[in-house]
Amino acid sequence: QREPWLRDAMLAFGRGEAVVGLKSFSDRGHVHHHLDRASTISALVDRWEAATAAAPEKSTLMIAATNADVRAISHEVRQRFRRDGALRDEDIVVAARSPSGQNVELPLAVGDHIRFLRRADFEGHQIINGTEATVAGLSKERTGEVRIVARIAEKLLSFTTSEIADA
């Protein structure tokens, strides 16, 4: 953290002094209250959209307390992407594993952004944990498996979900 107040607030959280940490955020207008879960998620995504529009070259992180919250936030973001034309074609649902090891159904469409959670080698291109890509194509194969074409920088890579699944 570059700002002293932020560093101090994070240290307070680390010491278990949540009230002190939250007060630092609240004093600077960074704590917002809403009526219910749905309005909280909508407001969070509104602020994320505004921050992304103001500085598209920067990465803006949304943090959630539970996997259920992550799914709800992701659903809201994807609805807006679809509204704005950033997601195309129909969703194809693939079996996936969350970073916490939970099995989930992951809807994917052309335009979705994905992150690889393990090392892999495709067509001579090394993928490392954390590599980000944009889905450029999706298709179901005769076997029922999903083939993904992903753009990483200017390179297109093609793979099936089983080729990237955790062992």
Side-chain angles (χ1 to χ4, degrees):
Q1 292 81 20
R2 293 184 185 146
E3 304 209 26
W5 77 265
L6 184 54
R7 187 174 24 259
D8 292 343
M10 299 313 289
L11 289 171
F13 284 122
R15 290 189 305 269
E17 299 170 0
V19 172
V20 172
L22 284 172
K23 184 171 181 344
S24 291
F25 278 85
S26 183
D27 289 349
R28 289 162 180 82
H30 297 299
V31 176
H32 306 273
H33 301 274
H34 299 280
L35 295 176
D36 56 25
R37 184 175 187 255
S39 62
T40 299
I41 289 170
S42 182
L44 171 67
V45 177
D46 287 346
R47 292 181 65 85
W48 173 81
E49 277 186 313
T52 301
E57 73 285 357
K58 291 186 176 180
S59 179
T60 304
L61 178 67
M62 290 184 278
I63 299 174
T66 67
N67 287 328
D69 290 340
V70 169
R71 285 189 297 277
I73 293 165
S74 294
H75 178 75
E76 179 69 19
V77 169
R78 291 185 88 254
Q79 282 186 319
R80 294 180 189 205
F81 280 170
R82 192 156 302 276
R83 173 199 70 200
D84 296 342
L87 297 182
R88 297 176 307 283
D89 302 334
E90 289 188 33
D91 287 349
I92 293 181
V93 178
V94 299
R97 189 174 306 246
S98 73
S100 62
Q102 186 177 34
N103 291 330
V104 296
E105 289 187 341
L106 180 66
L108 287 177
V110 172
D112 262 320
H113 297 268
I114 57 175
R115 176 176 289 136
F116 294 87
L117 299 179
R118 70 174 194 86
R119 296 179 74 88
D121 188 29
F122 300 115
E123 304 166 5
H125 188 80
Q126 181 100 40
I127 303 297
I128 60 171
N129 183 4
T131 297
E132 296 179 353
T134 302
V135 175
L138 287 165
S139 61
K140 276 224 173 178
E141 298 195 334
R142 279 183 249 142
T143 62
E145 219 173 344
V146 175
R147 176 160 298 279
I148 300 170
V149 177
R151 180 179 308 281
I152 301 172
E154 295 305 313
K155 185 163 180 82
L156 289 176
L157 300 176
S158 176
F159 50 87
T160 64
T161 51
S162 66
E163 291 174 314
I164 59 169
D166 288 337

